[in-house]
Amino acid sequence: MKKTEKINISNVIFYIDEDAYVFLKEYMEQIKLYFRKQEEGKEIIKDIEIRIAELLQTKKSEKKQVINIDDINEVIEILGKPEDFASTDDINEEFVVHKKTKKLYRDHDNAVLGGVCSGIGAYLNVDPVIIRLLFVFLLIFYGVTAIIYIILWIIVPPAETIAQKLEMKGENFSISNIEKNVKNEYENVKQNLGKIKKSKEYDKTRGFFSTFFRGISEIIRFIFKFIFIIIGIVFIIIGLGLVVAFIGTLAFSEPLISSWGIFNSHNIIIPDMLNYFVSDSSTFLIVVCSLLVVVIPLFAIIYGGFKLIFRFKANDKLIAIVGITTWFLSLLMLISVSFFEAKDYAITAKSSETIEFKEPTKNILYLKSSSIQKYNTTKLYIFDDEIEILADKYDKNKLYAIPEIEIRKSNSKEFDIVIEKKGRGANKDAAIEIAKIINYKLFQNDTILEFDPYFYLENDMKWTFPEVEIRINVPVGKIIFLDESIREQLNYACTVESIWEKRMLNQKWIMTDDGLEKYSNGK
Amino acid sequence: MNIENTKAQMKKGVLEYCILSILSKKDSYSSEIIKELKDAKLIVVEGTLYPLLTRQKNSGLLKYRWEESTQGPPRKYYSLTEKGEECLKELKTSWDELVETVDSIVNVDKK
């Protein structure tokens, strides 16, 4: 198996072995360098390229698709090296090969541990043994050296191709050098094969320490790989878990992970919930955008995990740009939709009405709620009981809310009952409009005042959190009885001694100048 | 003295004359010219020819046209210009003279 490059010479595509490619590239560079000084240089180079394409074309066949190093050698033989032209062409007599810049690589071929020292040695043109001694020396006095070594090991790339090996040594890229190296490479491969066959002999020649360190290096490498894989798996598990939990919350109102009660009828799925408060199109946008906002980072985590495990190549930059852009757009959209929708709740308007009330024939007024059974309500929970809403059992689009009852002292001699309805809207008119369609009723039957337990909006209007407040002003000296059935509605009562409203139920209270006081028959 | 160098210099002198002669017979593309010169052992490597052809073209002795090839990239077909033909005539005269002169010297030596 060999790595192949795809190249284009004079608009003809060739597949070419990597070593052959390096060879050809270097040859072309030399040619370019040679003709660079001549004014017609570019044209000559172009002609030569055409010729190379022509010659290589003849090397291709059905059976042999890929250009190898022998083909390149042959082509170079036919065309000649710049040194060969020089004898017949005196313009560029002093033909110098340009120097390549040196680069720091790890030298695997001469490695004891990770090839860091031998790489530095090659870079500095110093015997790697000296560098190694220096490292060991420093290691004795400064433990940090080990970390530096490991960091270098991780960040410095190994010299793998012939070109990289030459770059590491800073050797000229001349044809002969490449040739030499290509030959060396083959020798190496042959040797390596031999080594595998006679690994015992190999051990002897390499020496104990070398093998020992190689073993350690393999173990360290393995440990690193292992750690990366573990991290990757953790990433994937976390990412997938959160995605499932989030989608669960969104679609089933349940983070599926914690409990699998998907079909719990008391739970309401979030899109349905949103439907109560915002328009259909906004619901869709909110759901999609929040899905993207949450899921994109999670996917990034999962992707990172897979990358750590499988180390595949991908266009990460593009993926990152697309991901981040989508994320920001979704966030922006979410914010603007929320803002747009929130406008509908901006203004609050009240509409108050005083209820016509006949003074009861006796001194006492019973406050009770009409039968809850009249309403087929069901409680719906969002976020696992975090939010509770009341809806009609058969028409989940119809929401109910509980009115609040307040009991105060009346300034006159008569009972005075006021219902205050609060609506919210984008402007005052809209708010009042909402307040008007709040459906809430009271019934009086002499000494009994019966409340509706709930109020609702007519016409299935969008729920803008309307409120209903019933103020009952009790004249001094009158008695009221708070029935158990108004437990949920009773919100405030003006009393002499402070007492929790729920404790006042099922009892008679008499209004005094300072507020309600417990009434006992005997008194 | 480097004898190889001298030989190369001698060959180089006549190379331009030969290229013009080849093209005077028929229009050719570079590979054909190369083949002929190679057969005559005037050049060893093809790379030598390209600078010569380009230089002759630039000084107005040659012109070229592109022709599609059944395999590989299109080919540059070279042909002589009027100026090239004049140049060829001139070179031919001086070459003949040169051969004659050299011959006379060399042959006199032999006698």
Side-chain angles (χ1 to χ4, degrees):
Chain A
M1 198 183 76
K2 246 181 167 180
K3 210 180 156 205
T4 309
E5 304 270 353
K6 192 178 178 186
I7 56 169
N8 167 357
I9 311 174
S10 298
N11 295 322
V12 185
I13 300 287
F14 292 100
Y15 291 96
I16 181 166
D17 283 338
E18 201 194 10
D19 52 355
Y21 166 71
V22 173
F23 209 3
L24 179 63
K25 190 177 156 223
E26 188 44 43
Y27 176 69
M28 279 320 297
E29 246 155 62
Q30 288 207 9
I31 296 276
K32 275 179 197 163
L33 208 72
Y34 180 80
F35 290 112
R36 189 182 51 184
K37 286 183 192 161
Q38 305 176 25
E39 49 182 302
E40 58 275 87
K42 270 190 186 160
E43 205 177 340
I44 297 169
I45 291 161
K46 229 176 159 187
D47 287 346
I48 290 176
E49 276 190 358
I50 291 173
R51 181 62 178 151
I52 290 173
E54 217 171 60
L55 287 169
L56 289 180
Q57 193 77 35
T58 64
K59 304 285 179 203
K60 265 189 355 191
S61 65
E62 280 285 306
K63 282 179 188 167
K64 184 172 159 299
Q65 306 262 351
V66 180
I67 305 296
N68 60 33
I69 197 150
D70 291 333
D71 299 329
I72 299 298
N73 261 323
E74 226 172 288
V75 167
I76 292 174
E77 197 131 310
I78 291 168
L79 282 165
K81 296 171 193 170
E83 300 98 275
D84 301 327
F85 319 154
S87 57
T88 42
D89 192 85
D90 48 10
I91 286 184
N92 250 317
E93 288 287 350
E94 308 160 75
F95 170 59
V96 277
V97 187
H98 61 132
K99 281 250 178 186
K100 280 271 168 175
T101 45
K102 258 190 181 183
K103 263 193 176 171
L104 183 59
Y105 285 104
R106 284 188 289 119
D107 185 358
H108 265 318
D109 301 337
N110 302 308
V112 171
L113 198 56
V116 173
C117 289
S118 41
I120 294 172
Y123 186 75
L124 299 174
N125 240 336
V126 181
D127 192 327
V129 174
I130 294 170
I131 307 282
R132 272 181 206 129
L133 282 173
L134 205 71
F135 254 93
V136 171
F137 198 71
L138 284 171
L139 189 63
I140 295 167
F141 295 104
Y142 307 102
V144 203
T145 317
I147 296 167
I148 293 172
Y149 187 91
I150 290 172
I151 290 171
L152 284 172
W153 196 351
I154 294 168
I155 62 171
V156 176
E160 265 154 8
T161 66
I162 298 157
Q164 284 171 336
K165 280 175 187 169
L166 283 171
E167 242 177 342
M168 175 178 71
K169 290 171 194 155
E171 271 181 33
N172 293 337
F173 257 137
S174 74
I175 297 290
S176 47
N177 261 338
I178 297 247
E179 240 166 7
K180 199 172 78 197
N181 270 279
V182 169
K183 272 175 200 153
N184 279 347
E185 194 76 359
Y186 284 128
E187 291 294 307
N188 258 340
V189 171
K190 263 189 217 161
Q191 267 180 23
N192 281 336
L193 286 174
K195 275 173 199 166
I196 292 161
K197 278 177 196 157
K198 311 172 209 164
S199 58
K200 276 181 190 168
E201 277 171 47
Y202 166 63
D203 279 355
K204 273 181 210 159
T205 51
R206 288 297 293 193
F208 169 73
F209 279 106
S210 165
T211 10
F212 176 71
F213 279 123
R214 282 217 167 203
I216 285 187
S217 93
E218 280 306 305
I219 290 168
I220 291 175
R221 273 239 304 272
F222 178 76
I223 289 172
F224 265 99
K225 261 189 198 164
F226 188 71
I227 290 172
F228 280 146
I229 287 173
I230 294 288
I231 294 172
I233 290 171
V234 169
F235 273 22
I236 292 170
I237 290 172
I238 290 175
L240 280 177
L242 289 174
V243 167
V244 170
F246 179 70
I247 291 176
T249 309
L250 202 61
F252 308 109
S253 171
E254 279 277 328
L256 297 180
I257 302 290
S258 72
S259 65
W260 293 86
I262 305 169
F263 300 110
N264 185 344
S265 64
H266 291 309
N267 284 310
I268 175 170
I269 62 174
I270 287 173
D272 274 359
M273 176 205 75
L274 285 170
N275 241 334
Y276 293 136
F277 314 119
V278 298
S279 61
D280 281 353
S281 54
S282 297
T283 303
F284 177 75
L285 274 176
I286 288 173
V287 168
V288 168
C289 290
S290 46
L291 195 73
L292 286 172
V293 166
V294 176
V295 164
I296 285 172
L298 295 180
F299 273 137
I301 291 174
I302 296 169
Y303 180 76
F306 274 110
K307 215 144 174 173
L308 276 174
I309 296 175
F310 299 111
R311 294 164 169 249
F312 52 86
K313 277 188 182 169
N315 195 344
D316 288 340
K317 220 181 204 171
L318 185 77
I319 293 172
I321 289 170
V322 170
I324 290 171
T325 319
T326 321
W327 189 82
F328 266 110
L329 286 178
S330 312
L331 190 65
L332 218 68
M333 187 70 105
L334 200 58
I335 291 168
S336 49
V337 169
S338 310
F339 190 76
F340 183 77
E341 285 294 335
K343 256 189 9 200
D344 286 357
Y345 300 85
I347 307 288
T348 310
K350 291 177 194 168
S351 104
S352 302
E353 53 177 312
T354 309
I355 300 297
E356 271 182 56
F357 186 77
K358 283 184 212 150
E359 284 301 304
T361 48
K362 285 175 188 165
N363 219 14
I364 188 163
L365 182 69
Y366 292 87
L367 302 180
K368 60 175 280 190
S369 156
S370 56
S371 165
I372 293 179
Q373 271 73 47
K374 235 171 81 186
Y375 299 88
N376 288 309
T377 58
T378 179
K379 279 181 181 171
L380 300 171
Y381 301 101
I382 304 163
F383 297 128
D384 246 4
D385 300 356
E386 283 293 310
I387 301 170
E388 187 185 303
I389 46 177
L390 284 167
D392 196 277
K393 220 175 215 167
Y394 308 107
D395 176 14
K396 286 199 174 176
N397 281 325
K398 193 167 184 181
L399 288 189
Y400 294 98
I402 299 169
E404 288 177 352
I405 299 173
E406 287 182 15
I407 299 167
R408 293 171 196 275
K409 198 179 83 175
S410 170
N411 293 325
S412 68
K413 296 265 180 212
E414 291 180 343
F415 278 98
D416 170 38
I417 295 165
V418 178
I419 296 180
E420 192 175 278
K421 294 172 176 174
K422 255 189 227 172
R424 286 196 176 82
N427 52 53
K428 190 135 198 164
D429 290 345
I432 288 173
E433 205 54 44
I434 296 277
K436 272 185 188 159
I437 59 162
I438 293 175
N439 193 317
Y440 187 70
K441 285 186 185 80
L442 286 176
F443 312 95
Q444 189 199 1
N445 189 356
D446 191 21
T447 57
I448 297 167
L449 187 63
E450 208 174 287
F451 302 93
D452 266 350
Y454 307 120
F455 65 90
Y456 60 92
L457 292 177
E458 299 275 8
N459 317 329
D460 288 348
M461 276 292 290
K462 202 172 79 172
W463 192 256
T464 53
F465 299 98
E467 285 169 33
V468 169
E469 218 177 84
I470 308 144
R471 275 202 296 275
I472 302 167
N473 298 314
V474 183
V476 177
K478 300 269 173 174
I479 299 161
I480 52 166
F481 178 82
L482 304 171
D483 191 71
E484 169 68 32
S485 59
I486 60 164
R487 170 179 284 274
E488 293 207 60
Q489 287 79 12
L490 184 61
N491 186 50
Y492 173 81
C494 167
T495 52
V496 176
E497 286 167 41
S498 71
I499 180 167
W500 188 37
E501 285 77 16
K502 311 293 180 217
R503 286 251 173 99
M504 297 170 70
L505 297 171
N506 281 329
Q507 280 166 9
K508 287 178 181 165
W509 297 82
I510 183 161
M511 184 57 76
T512 67
D513 283 330
D514 302 319
L516 285 171
E517 210 166 47
K518 205 163 175 186
Y519 176 79
S520 48
N521 276 334
K523 208 181 167 183
Chain B
M1 194 181 91
N2 187 345
I3 190 147
E4 280 304 316
N5 195 29
T6 317
K7 276 201 220 164
Q9 293 291 335
M10 280 165 73
K11 277 179 191 168
K12 191 195 158 205
V14 294
L15 214 47
E16 297 197 14
Y17 173 44
C18 291
I19 293 168
L20 294 179
S21 308
I22 291 165
L23 287 175
S24 72
K25 284 179 270 179
K26 80 179 190 19
D27 298 355
S28 315
Y29 73 104
S30 46
S31 300
E32 288 175 316
I33 306 166
I34 285 162
K35 195 176 172 296
E36 213 160 317
L37 292 173
K38 262 190 174 172
D39 288 347
K41 294 197 172 144
L42 268 168
I43 59 168
V44 185
V45 292
E46 297 189 1
T48 323
L49 186 78
Y50 292 100
L52 287 178
L53 282 173
T54 310
R55 224 168 290 151
Q56 284 186 330
K57 185 210 73 184
N58 285 353
S59 51
L61 304 179
L62 305 180
K63 58 178 192 257
Y64 71 86
R65 62 178 191 275
W66 289 103
E67 250 173 50
E68 288 299 323
S69 153
T70 45
Q71 42 168 280
R75 293 164 169 174
K76 253 181 182 177
Y77 267 81
Y78 286 98
S79 55
L80 285 185
T81 58
E82 268 176 43
K83 199 178 166 193
E85 265 166 56
E86 270 170 41
C87 180
L88 178 63
K89 264 181 216 163
E90 235 173 86
L91 282 177
K92 190 177 157 43
T93 336
S94 54
W95 172 253
D96 288 345
E97 278 170 16
L98 190 66
V99 169
E100 213 173 295
T101 333
V102 172
D103 206 37
S104 69
I105 293 168
V106 174
N107 286 344
V108 165
D109 240 23
K110 269 189 180 173
K111 277 173 192 172

